[in-house]
Amino acid sequence: MQSDASGPELKPLDAFTSRVVYGSTFCKRPIDLQILIRNDTVEDVGGAVECPYSRQWLAALIQAAKGKDLDAAWSISGDDLRAGITPPEQSGDCVDCDTYVVAAFRLALRKFEKGL
């Protein structure tokens, strides 16, 4: 369990309606993301990531997604999450972490909607 200055404590959810493990094609570190949806509303988001930069993006995603209906959740983008994110020290580190975190979230939404 890790807290981030940018947001909530990051931890896997005990109960969830959809889970995705999605790896960055750049650094190969997995993003394990779970969502809990009730009454077509994102009640909670949780997960675990190894990369400190991705951890910031996941914390921002949790704040942005909680309480959103499914249509609003689908519209969340990296641009929506960018405020308050501290770039990595090395410019070559963590390429497109926002894309991978948002992609994992959208895959989890898709799995939920398809009943997978």
Side-chain angles (χ1 to χ4, degrees):
M1 294 183 229
Q2 298 179 352
S3 292
D4 233 287
S6 60
E9 183 176 43
L10 299 181
K11 62 181 180 173
L13 299 180
D14 293 327
F16 52 86
T17 49
S18 184
R19 177 181 181 221
V20 169
V21 178
Y22 186 71
S24 161
T25 57
F26 182 74
C27 70
K28 309 292 188 233
R29 295 182 200 171
I31 298 165
D32 185 351
L33 186 140
Q34 307 92 35
I35 57 175
L36 177 62
I37 297 174
R38 290 198 179 122
N39 300 316
D40 290 332
T41 300
V42 178
E43 188 171 295
D44 206 356
V45 180
V49 294
E50 296 173 19
C51 169
Y53 192 51
S54 291
R55 195 172 300 119
Q56 288 185 69
W57 288 100
L58 183 54
L61 176 75
I62 291 169
Q63 288 182 322
K66 284 176 92 171
K68 296 265 194 290
D69 65 34
L70 288 176
D71 288 336
W74 272 105
S75 71
I76 294 171
S77 71
D79 290 339
D80 299 324
L81 308 178
R82 195 167 311 283
I85 301 291
T86 304
E89 292 181 21
Q90 303 293 323
S91 62
D93 289 349
C94 305
V95 175
D96 296 328
C97 288
D98 60 330
T99 302
Y100 297 117
V101 169
V102 172
F105 179 65
R106 289 182 178 165
L107 286 170
L109 289 172
R110 183 170 188 240
K111 280 182 71 173
F112 170 79
E113 288 181 341
K114 291 190 172 261
L116 302 175

